[in-house]
Structures are given as C-alpha cells and as structure tokens.
Amino acid sequence: MGISIVNCTETKSGETFWGVLQANKIYPLAEQYPSHRELMAAYSANPAAFKDVNNDHFVDAEKVQFNSPISADVQLFCQGLNYADHREESGMSVEHDEENLIFMKAASSICGPNDDIIRPADCELLDYEIELALVLKQGINAQVQIAESDLKNYVGGLVLCNDVSARDLMFGAPMLQWFRGKSQRTFCPLGPVLYLMDDADFDQLYSLELTLKWNGVVKQSASTSQLIHRPAKTLTDLSGFCDVQAGDCLLTGTPGGVLAGSNLKVGLSIITNMKNDQKRRKKFTQAQLAMTRFLQPGDTLELSIQSSDGAIDLGTQKNVIVGNS
C-alpha cells in the first residue's frame, strides 16, 4: 500500500509544508523538501520513514489550501486520443494499432487543484480533460524497451490532472497549434494528492476510475482499463527520441465526454481552410458552437480518480472558470 502526500498552505499561519493525508487529516513530514523530486527520491530510499508519522500533530484538511504537489520545473508529456470513445468522438479511427499521439504542455500551465481556471480573452472553446498523470522516479536518456513488469522501476507516483484545452487556439494557428491551446496559464490543475506507489499498487493501475462533473453533471466517466497505449509502451516510444527526467509527468489521455466534437462541418472547416488560419479558426469555432456550449466564467468542475476499492484515492479537484480580467 502506497502513501498519499500533499503540499499545502495552512490558512491561519500561512505555512506551506509537505504532509501525509489520512482520513481528512494532514500529518506534516518530519523533513521538508524543496520539490517533489527530492521527496520522491527520499521515499524510494526509505518508505518506512514516511509512514511513521506523528499522530499527535496534524492539521485539519479543511484548514489548508492545497497546492500542486508537482513542482513547476518538470516536463509534461501528454498522450492524445488514448481512449477509444474519445477517438471516436473526435472523428478518428478506433483501431488500437494507430500511432501513439504524444505532445507537450508547458509546465507554466500548472496550478493548484482548487485554483480558478482562467479562460483567455481570445478563447471561445474552453474545454476540460480529466487524466491520470504518472510521475517518473527514474530518468531515461537512451532508447529502452520497457515491459509492463518493468514499469515499477520507472513510475513512482500518480496524480489527478485536468488537461484544460482551448480548442479554438489549437486549431487557429499555422499547421494547427496544440502547444498554445494546451499551455495557457492555469490550464493544468494537478493534485491534490501525490500518491507514492508501492509495488503492489501496480496491480490496480488499470482499475482506476475517472469521473468529471461539469456544474454537477457527470460528463466523463471511465476506467484506466480502457487505455489504448499503456504507459510501458509510451515510455518506450518516448525513449526513442527524447530524454525524460525523474519527476517528469506523463499525462495518459482523456476518455470520451469532452465538449469538442466532430461532424462534417467541423471536418470541412479544417480541411477546406488549411491555408487560411483566420478563416479556419472562425469556421471551426462556429461549427463547434453549433453543437454545444463550452466552458463559461462561473462554471464549476469537479474531478476525482480512485481505485474501484477506494484503496487508491487521488483526491478531488474543484475549480471555477473565470474570465481574463
């Protein structure tokens, strides 16, 4: 059984600290760390030290502000179209031998699990994407072949993530611009829990349940058993062309239920205006808005990930959408 770590700021004192979360109580660690990298390294070296908390010294979880447990000096590797139902709603093939779509998200998009999400002034198509993020405990700087049985040597933690996306920014720049549309500030709420895994937890990696509610209504509900390209394969793919450092994150993709959709008008808006960025964005935006309403200031999101038996619980994110004033 692993351990749930949080980084939080006590409301009354303003003190920021790392602690172990147990049953709505936070037990500060005896030793504090400059970032999650050092914390994870210390846990790998001596897990028992993190489980021997002072039961007489705790802070009520309702009296803190939760911060992102992931420091903003990481690489955020992302997978796209990694659930069959999301591929289908995007108008893509659902064959499992399709290319593994990998892209990047700026670390400056990281924010706390309950922070406001800022809708950019030039964005009309703001969308959500609940995802499981894996936190690496070992770097990779050469091509390797990683099997599922090797995964525990590379992955050290799990985090709940929202890969917030501005669809009109993604499709409104030359040759399409996912990085810009995915990397706006506050577009990556992380946490509250950094779940540090024990070997036995890997048996539950593909039985985690993802749930996202928009204004109280469930919009995304799925299991990690539905992942197409699993982490071992994705890390193998990454190792073939780039370096990955300990502490970096792999966002494993979102299931179906996002706001953006696909139909003939959406497809034509991209294909027929490929060389005209302004027109493509206008037509794409019109086609999307004709199908559904996107996130607006005042909307609320609530996200959670946990194992089917509740033994692994990555906590709950609660965010409000705000305008860019």
Side-chain angles (χ1 to χ4, degrees):
M1 187 68 186
I3 190 168
S4 297
I5 299 293
V6 294
N7 183 278
C8 53
T9 301
E10 190 172 10
T11 305
K12 186 175 181 179
S13 68
E15 178 187 3
T16 296
F17 62 94
W18 293 99
V20 177
L21 178 64
Q22 295 179 354
N24 216 39
K25 295 178 180 178
I26 303 169
Y27 299 89
L29 294 176
E31 184 174 349
Q32 294 295 307
Y33 302 90
S35 78
H36 72 286
R37 297 178 191 273
E38 291 85 358
L39 186 151
M40 291 180 67
Y43 179 77
S44 293
N46 186 12
F50 284 70
K51 298 179 180 180
D52 186 21
V53 295
N54 183 351
N55 291 323
D56 295 324
H57 181 205
F58 66 86
V59 178
D60 193 314
E62 296 180 358
K63 296 181 179 180
V64 305
Q65 172 187 317
F66 288 104
N67 307 312
S68 167
I70 302 299
S71 310
D73 61 345
V74 296
Q75 297 184 93
L76 299 176
F77 298 95
C78 307
Q79 288 180 265
L81 305 174
N82 203 28
Y83 286 78
D85 55 356
H86 182 45
R87 292 189 69 92
E88 187 172 9
E89 71 184 357
S90 301
M92 306 296 289
S93 166
V94 296
E95 296 297 325
H96 281 223
D97 60 352
E98 294 291 335
E99 184 77 15
N100 192 357
L101 174 58
I102 300 173
F103 58 95
M104 298 291 292
K105 190 175 180 85
S108 56
S109 66
I110 292 174
C111 67
N114 300 318
D115 289 355
D116 291 342
I117 296 171
I118 302 171
R119 187 181 74 165
D122 58 346
C123 171
E124 295 183 75
L125 306 181
L126 187 64
D127 207 346
Y128 50 72
E129 291 190 10
I130 187 172
E131 304 200 14
L132 172 68
L134 309 182
V135 190
L136 301 190
K137 66 178 180 181
Q138 176 177 314
I140 304 172
N141 58 14
Q143 187 163 9
V144 292
Q145 186 68 39
I146 300 173
E148 283 291 323
S149 58
D150 301 324
L151 201 58
K152 63 187 68 173
N153 298 325
Y154 294 91
V155 175
L158 305 175
V159 178
L160 166 60
C161 174
N162 187 357
D163 178 19
V164 182
S165 305
R167 304 296 185 188
D168 41 357
L169 304 187
M170 291 169 61
F171 289 89
M175 297 306 293
L176 312 186
Q177 182 53 283
W178 281 39
F179 185 72
R180 182 185 176 199
K182 296 278 190 176
S183 295
Q184 303 285 310
R185 296 176 183 89
T186 74
F187 271 26
C188 191
L190 286 171
V193 171
L194 168 58
Y195 184 82
L196 300 180
M197 304 175 73
D198 283 352
D199 286 355
D201 291 320
F202 284 85
D203 293 337
Q204 301 227 56
L205 186 58
Y206 303 115
S207 63
L208 300 178
E209 299 173 348
L210 294 73
T211 305
L212 181 143
K213 297 179 182 179
W214 177 29
N215 293 332
V217 177
V218 174
K219 301 296 290 185
Q220 291 186 285
S221 179
S223 167
T224 50
S225 64
Q226 300 168 260
L227 287 169
I228 297 173
H229 300 284
R230 293 189 167 187
K233 177 184 183 300
T234 302
L235 291 176
T236 298
D237 291 347
L238 280 171
S239 76
F241 63 88
C242 71
D243 290 348
V244 179
Q245 306 301 323
D248 287 349
C249 295
L250 173 62
L251 282 56
T252 56
T254 199
V258 300
L259 297 176
S262 177
N263 60 19
L264 181 59
K265 285 187 176 180
V266 171
L268 289 174
S269 71
I270 298 173
I271 295 171
T272 60
N273 300 292
M274 187 59 70
K275 296 182 179 180
N276 188 324
D277 299 331
Q278 186 174 3
K279 188 175 181 181
R280 181 176 67 251
R281 176 171 174 173
K282 179 181 178 181
K283 293 294 185 181
F284 177 81
T285 299
Q286 289 175 342
Q288 291 290 345
L289 290 175
M291 290 192 292
T292 192
R293 174 184 179 273
F294 282 75
L295 297 177
Q296 303 289 328
D299 286 351
T300 61
L301 296 173
E302 183 175 326
L303 295 74
S304 63
I305 296 179
Q306 62 179 11
S307 59
S308 55
D309 62 2
I312 298 176
D313 187 346
L314 304 188
T316 301
Q317 292 184 6
K318 295 181 179 180
N319 310 95
V320 177
I321 310 302
V322 300
N324 190 348
S325 57

